[in-house]
Amino acid sequence: THTHSLTHPHHSLTHITLGSQIKPEHTAMPLENRRRYAEMQRLTHFPMVSHRYLWNPFVLLTCVARSTAVFDSVAIMLALSLALQGSHGKAGAALALAASKSLYPITLLAPLVLMARRPGLLVRCMAGFGAGMAALLALCWLIVGSWQFVSATYGVLLSVEDLTPNIGIAWYLFTGMFDHFRVFYLIVFQYCCFWFVIPLALKFSDAPGFLAFVLAALLTVFQPYPSLAHVGLATSLFVPWSFLAPYSRYAFGIGTLMIVCPLILCPLTWNIWVHSGAGNANFFFSATLLFAATRLVFVTDVANAYRRWQFGLEHGEACDDTLGFAEVEAVVEPRPKGAKPKAQ
C-alpha cells in the first residue's frame, strides 16, 4: 500500500535525515516500510559515492604512488554497484576479483548476500563468487604451473611474514615480539578481520550499504597490510551516511586526525626515522598507532550515530546525546516485561 511513496521523485535525501524531518505520510508508515524507504534512499545515492571516490585525497595519493591496491577498490565498488542494480551474479564475480588478489575483501560478501533478499538471487551471488574464485585460481595455476603461488600470496597475508613498515600496526608488534607469542597474536589479528562479520551482519541486516562501510573501515585497522587505498575506499563508502555527523560525538576531532595523521605526522616521522636518522621506529609507529586508533574510533562513533538516527526514525524524535551505544540499544530494543536486566 505504500509502494508509491518509495519511488516518488520528490522524496529527497533530506526528508529522512532526521527523525523530526520525516514527512507526516512517512511517519504514518509502518516501521518496516520506513526502514525500507530509508534504505532505498541511501542506496540510490551510490553514484555520489563513485564521484567522491574519484576526488578522495587518499585515492589521489594512491594513484600518485602507482599502487595496485586501486584495482581492489575498483572491483569492490563494481561489486556493490552491480548488486544495487540487481546483477547479483556479476556482483559476486566482481568481488571474487578483489578477494583473489588480497583475500580480505571476502568479508564484503556479507552485504552482497544481504542485498540479495530472495533465495534465487542469493544463489546467483554465491555461484558468481564461487565461479569467479575458481576461474581466477585456475588461471593463476595455468600461468605459474603449480600451486606455489598460494603460499606466496595468501600464505604471506595470513602469516604476516613481510614486516615492511606501513600505516598499520602489525609490522611493529611482530617485529619486537617473542617467537612463542607470535602464533597467538596471529590468531588474534586474523580473528578480528573475519569474526566481526557475523555479529555486524546480524546487527545491520536491514542496512547492507552501511554494513559495507563498517566492514571496509574495520579492515583498514585490523588487516596486516593496510594502505591509503583502503582508507580511501572506506571514507568514500561513508559519503551516503555523512548526514550522521550531527549524531556523532567526535566528528571534529576524528575529521582533523584523519587528515593530520596520514598527510602530516606519518611523512614527518618517517623522514625523522629513515632519512635524517634523528629518531627511531617508535616515532613512526606512534603516528601509525594514532592513525589506527582514529580509524577505530571513527567507525565505532559512526555506528553509534547510526543507532541514534535509527531511534529518531522509529520514534519520531531525536535521541538524547547523553545516551551511549548500550543505552540506545536498550531504548530501541526494550526488554520484555518481567525480564531481568543483563549483568553489566
Side-chain angles (χ1 to χ4, degrees):
T1 58
H2 298 281
T3 305
H4 67 281
S5 64
L6 299 180
T7 57
H8 197 282
H10 299 293
H11 292 165
S12 62
L13 183 68
T14 57
H15 293 160
I16 58 169
T17 299
L18 301 175
S20 58
Q21 293 178 347
I22 301 178
K23 286 188 174 183
E25 59 269 24
H26 299 166
T27 308
M29 291 167 57
L31 177 59
E32 184 62 28
N33 287 356
R34 278 187 283 157
R35 284 180 173 176
R36 187 173 302 172
Y37 174 79
E39 179 61 12
M40 289 184 65
Q41 289 287 351
R42 298 279 78 74
L43 298 181
T44 53
H45 283 72
F46 189 80
M48 180 173 58
V49 177
S50 59
H51 297 159
R52 298 297 187 273
Y53 173 81
L54 294 176
W55 294 103
N56 192 310
F58 299 122
V59 176
L60 293 178
L61 289 175
T62 304
C63 294
V64 171
R66 299 180 181 180
S67 172
T68 58
V70 295
F71 298 111
D72 299 344
S73 301
V74 170
I76 292 172
M77 296 285 282
L78 180 61
L80 293 175
S81 178
L82 290 172
L84 296 178
Q85 297 173 13
S87 302
H88 297 279
K90 296 179 181 178
L95 185 64
L97 180 61
S100 64
K101 181 178 178 295
S102 55
L103 186 63
Y104 294 102
I106 195 175
T107 58
L108 296 175
L109 186 62
L112 294 188
V113 169
L114 293 176
M115 291 179 190
R117 299 186 180 276
R118 296 199 302 270
L121 299 178
L122 176 60
V123 172
R124 290 183 185 179
C125 180
M126 298 301 296
F129 180 80
M133 285 292 294
L136 291 170
L137 291 176
L139 179 62
C140 294
W141 178 81
L142 290 175
I143 295 175
V144 178
S146 65
W147 293 103
Q148 293 181 356
F149 71 93
V150 175
S151 59
T153 53
Y154 308 133
V156 172
L157 291 174
L158 295 176
S159 61
V160 196
E161 296 177 0
D162 185 4
L163 300 179
T164 302
N166 52 58
I167 63 171
I169 58 177
W171 65 272
Y172 186 89
L173 295 179
F174 285 104
T175 297
M177 186 178 297
F178 293 106
D179 291 339
H180 54 276
F181 288 125
R182 181 179 177 84
V183 176
F184 171 75
Y185 280 99
L186 275 176
I187 296 174
V188 171
F189 266 85
Q190 304 301 340
Y191 174 90
C192 291
C193 289
F194 294 102
W195 174 250
F196 284 121
V197 176
I198 299 176
L200 289 175
L202 295 176
K203 174 55 64 179
F204 301 114
S205 59
D206 59 338
F210 186 76
L211 175 63
F213 153 72
V214 172
L215 292 177
L218 286 177
L219 284 180
T220 66
V221 180
F222 294 114
Q223 67 173 323
Y225 303 109
S227 66
L228 290 182
H230 301 108
V231 179
L233 174 65
T235 52
S236 298
L237 291 177
F238 173 68
V239 170
W241 308 94
S242 57
F243 71 93
L244 295 173
Y247 294 85
S248 173
R249 290 183 175 181
Y250 315 108
F252 178 77
I254 292 174
T256 302
L257 290 176
M258 286 288 287
I259 296 175
V260 171
C261 286
L263 301 183
I264 299 178
L265 287 182
C266 288
L268 180 62
T269 53
W270 177 266
N271 181 73
I272 294 175
W273 173 31
V274 176
H275 297 286
S276 65
N280 53 32
N282 294 327
F283 285 72
F284 181 69
F285 175 68
S286 62
T288 58
L289 181 61
L290 179 60
F291 189 31
T294 302
R295 301 196 301 272
L296 186 59
V297 174
F298 168 59
V299 65
T300 54
D301 192 38
V302 172
N304 195 0
Y306 176 83
R307 295 299 290 168
R308 295 171 186 273
W309 169 74
Q310 191 180 46
F311 177 89
L313 183 65
E314 296 178 357
H315 297 272
E317 57 186 7
C319 184
D320 186 4
D321 186 62
T322 61
L323 294 180
F325 189 86
E327 289 80 0
V328 174
E329 290 289 319
V331 175
V332 176
E333 301 173 1
R335 62 178 184 271
K337 293 183 179 180
K340 296 182 180 180
K342 297 180 180 180
Q344 298 294 328

